[in-house]
Amino acid sequence: MPWSKRLLADLRSDHAGETGAVWIYKGAAAAQRLRGHSAEAREFVGQHLESEQQHLDFFDDLLEAQHTTKLLPLWRACGFVLGFAPAMVGEAALFATVEAVETFVEEHYDDQLAYLRSNGEMRSGGHAERHAEGSDGGVAELVRVIAACRDDEVSHKNDAASRGSPREAQPVFVAAAVRAWARVIDAGSRLAVVASRAV
Ligand SMILES: [Fe+2]
Ligand SMILES: [Fe+2]
């Protein structure tokens, strides 16, 4: 594929992330069947799963199989556990998890959009020009779709935040646990991006 190494690594990390996202909601749905969440929480998972599947389909179509990360089985397993475990704890834990994950993803896509919009890809050796018929090598279309994904992730984050218990209403130890859990998710996500870019 005639894209720069940098852009390919970005897209590979997006594909990995969307794979993980789909499996987070598959894990959450499995736990909901065992644990019996409210209709609202089940609807939340169903809607988010559908949206993440659309994101994954886009990156699936974009990347040839040999350009996806070799770690996909690992991200499917991690995603499943990351959705299943909090959903078994309860709805509030699931919403806090989704909020933390989507906070990371928003930043991830924002960084990429800033790079693409600054035309870094165009200056990286001119490969992009040959990729598609458009004079910008398809970069404008890529920016449009990634920006749409990013907007979806922000609405997922806001949806989770609005359903979770308000910060002020949480006992101090719960708020501390939620903050610690969010830091674990952030660190794990960063590691997953680095690994997926590399292999
Ligand atoms: Fe997504
Ligand atoms: Fe999302």
Side-chain angles (χ1 to χ4, degrees), residues 18 21 25 52 55 102 152-153 156:
E18 297 296 352
Y25 292 110
E52 302 300 359
H55 297 171
E102 299 291 9
D152 285 347
E153 315 301 7
H156 295 162

Side-chain angles (χ1 to χ4, degrees), residues 92 164-180:
S165 51
R167 300 272 184 285
E168 319 77 69
Q170 291 170 348
V172 176
F173 73 92
V174 171
V178 169
R179 276 199 306 276

Side-chain angles (χ1 to χ4, degrees), residues 105-178:
V105 180
E106 177 186 0
E107 196 189 306
H108 173 80
Y109 278 138
D110 274 342
D111 288 349
Q112 246 178 60
L113 286 167
Y115 168 70
L116 284 169
R117 285 181 174 136
S118 73
N119 277 324
E121 172 60 13
M122 305 304 294
R123 289 195 298 270
S124 66
H127 299 303
E129 287 88 339
R130 295 194 294 277
H131 181 256
E133 292 94 77
S135 60
D136 70 344
V139 170
E141 173 64 4
L142 199 54
V143 166
R144 191 188 66 74
V145 179
I146 292 179
C149 288
R150 178 228 176 249
D151 291 347
D152 285 347
E153 315 301 7
V154 172
S155 77
H156 295 162
K157 180 186 76 173
N158 293 339
D159 189 18
S162 71
R163 290 171 194 255
S165 51
R167 300 272 184 285
E168 319 77 69
Q170 291 170 348
V172 176
F173 73 92
V174 171
V178 169

Side-chain angles (χ1 to χ4, degrees), residues 45-74:
V45 167
Q47 287 171 351
H48 286 223
L49 174 58
E50 202 177 303
S51 171
E52 302 300 359
Q53 186 62 58
Q54 286 170 4
H55 297 171
L56 178 57
D57 289 346
F58 168 74
F59 288 106
D60 254 340
D61 290 344
L62 193 68
L63 282 184
E64 292 158 30
Q66 76 265 28
H67 289 124
T68 59
T69 173
K70 294 171 182 64
L71 301 171
L72 288 178
L74 178 63

